[in-house]
Amino acid sequence: DAKTTQPPSMDCAEGRAANLPCNHSTISGNEYVYWYRQIHSQGPQYIIHGLKNNETNEMASLIITEDRKSSTLILPHATLRDTAVYYCIVSGNQFYFGTGTSLTVIP
Amino acid sequence: NAGVMQNPRHLVRRRGQEARLRCSPVKGHSHVYWYRQLPEEGLKFMVYLQKENIIDESGMPKERFSAEFPKEGPSILRIQQVVRGDSAAYFCASSLNKGAGQPQHFGDGTRLSIL
């Protein structure tokens, strides 16, 4: 499974869009990009996933570059409850969690 | 529509005792995964099971750890003769099918503390 690279931490003002980047330059053709988040001491929460096309659901949007080597998770209007560690995972069969991006939403 | 249920939420054991962690997957899900998370680290894959079969145990320590997912009942992660280094959060996840494009849904974990 491909390795991912994420910035260790980011801040975002409440009400603004949070854009979380992820590099996955070694992704292979059948591997999906998944995003999860973990709020302190809870289990990881599924956010969104995609293969090639951009995806949107009630929580977030996922933008995947045409070459699939990177992606961005967008939280359109961040709230204080979005403060969490966000994990980008590229997976064919197994999920490998890195250290993620710690997002802090600032009032 | 219950999600993944894990129990107990917190478990305290003394060194040398056995720990049994239970996981009931989302109703209808037949694929179960166990992960371990040490403080300040990401989750590490341990084992993947399908009903009555261990499919991938490449992340399981070679000794003292075992997992099962019987035809009836929850999946069990068993740790024998626990040591201080086993203190961690253990998460279970389930999915409807296996393969690319199948998100895993996680429980809230069991926090294991070894005295």
Side-chain angles (χ1 to χ4, degrees):
Chain A
D1 293 292
K3 182 182 165 66
T4 61
T5 304
Q6 299 177 253
S9 63
M10 292 181 63
D11 293 338
C12 177
E14 188 178 16
R16 306 297 290 265
N19 296 280
L20 291 90
C22 180
N23 286 322
H24 31 79
S25 58
T26 60
I27 191 170
S28 61
N30 65 342
E31 289 183 315
Y32 281 71
V33 180
Y34 296 83
W35 283 84
Y36 284 77
R37 71 181 182 186
Q38 189 173 26
I39 296 170
H40 177 64
S41 78
Q42 296 180 18
Q45 178 188 22
Y46 166 76
I47 301 172
I48 199 166
H49 74 287
L51 182 63
K52 290 190 241 188
N53 300 322
N54 298 337
E55 302 288 344
T56 295
N57 63 21
E58 65 279 2
M59 288 183 70
S61 295
L62 173 60
I63 309 297
I64 303 174
T65 57
E66 194 167 339
D67 64 7
R68 304 214 317 128
K69 292 185 177 182
S70 65
S71 60
T72 301
L73 178 75
I74 301 172
L75 307 178
H77 305 287
T79 71
L80 299 179
R81 288 180 295 179
D82 291 324
T83 292
V85 178
Y86 287 77
Y87 295 99
C88 167
I89 299 164
V90 170
S91 175
N93 292 307
Q94 297 299 350
F95 278 22
Y96 290 93
F97 286 78
T99 51
T101 296
S102 179
L103 174 70
T104 302
V105 179
I106 302 168
Chain B
N1 214 10
V4 175
M5 303 298 291
Q6 291 189 248
N7 67 82
R9 288 296 307 276
H10 301 274
L11 182 61
V12 179
R13 285 287 178 266
R14 297 188 180 280
R15 282 177 294 171
Q17 291 184 320
E18 178 180 288
R20 291 170 71 89
L21 288 61
R22 294 174 186 76
C23 168
S24 295
V26 173
K27 188 175 180 181
H29 286 192
S30 59
H31 301 262
V32 164
Y33 315 80
W34 285 93
Y35 295 80
R36 177 165 62 177
Q37 186 175 33
L38 296 172
E40 309 303 321
E41 294 187 11
L43 280 73
K44 301 287 188 237
F45 168 78
M46 298 180 74
V47 62
Y48 156 48
L49 308 101
Q50 198 177 352
K51 279 288 186 182
E52 300 184 272
N53 292 303
I54 296 174
I55 308 301
D56 181 351
E57 56 182 348
S58 58
M60 286 278 269
K62 293 286 186 282
E63 297 176 347
R64 301 187 298 108
F65 285 71
S66 62
E68 63 178 14
F69 188 18
K71 188 176 179 182
E72 301 290 338
S75 176
I76 305 288
L77 180 67
R78 183 181 177 206
I79 311 172
Q80 295 178 289
Q81 298 176 310
V82 295
V83 300
R84 287 251 169 90
D86 297 332
S87 294
Y90 292 83
F91 291 97
C92 170
S94 72
S95 66
L96 180 60
N97 292 309
K98 184 58 183 149
Q102 293 294 324
Q104 296 178 17
H105 299 274
F106 286 79
D108 277 334
T110 293
R111 270 88 187 152
L112 176 63
S113 299
I114 309 302
L115 302 180

